[in-house]
Amino acid sequence: MAKMNEEKTWKCGKCNEELKKKKTLFEYMGHKFSHEVPTCPKCGKVFISKELAEGRMAEVEEQLEDK
Ligand SMILES: [Zn+2]
């Protein structure tokens, strides 16, 4: 039996709705970038993972330092 990729499903704690990945535009330190983040289809709450916060935001900081 093939094992499926274990994909973590996130749920909104408030609505108990399964989160859907949605492209969201972020602004951080004057830089804009879009990233697919889990979003609640009901209340629109966006869940930012630690990975995104540390990965993309650090990237933006690096870009700023290059200039
Ligand atoms: Zn919700």
Side-chain angles (χ1 to χ4, degrees):
M1 199 174 151
K3 203 179 176 211
M4 300 259 298
N5 270 350
E6 261 186 62
E7 208 173 292
K8 211 173 172 184
T9 49
W10 295 61
K11 275 187 178 175
C12 177
K14 206 170 92 182
C15 322
N16 206 34
E17 288 279 330
E18 213 171 278
L19 303 180
K20 296 254 162 36
K21 280 209 168 168
K22 196 184 160 195
K23 247 201 173 156
T24 307
L25 192 71
F26 290 95
E27 204 176 328
Y28 180 70
M29 289 174 76
H31 271 240
K32 286 194 177 83
F33 60 94
S34 61
H35 197 85
E36 281 198 339
V37 289
T39 307
C40 174
K42 211 168 173 182
C43 72
K45 188 173 160 63
V46 172
F47 291 77
I48 298 172
S49 66
K50 204 181 164 206
E51 187 188 292
L52 170 65
E54 287 174 0
R56 288 308 295 266
M57 306 254 172
E59 232 173 77
V60 170
E61 279 173 13
E62 268 171 37
Q63 283 171 15
L64 289 175
E65 276 170 22
D66 280 349
K67 278 177 190 168

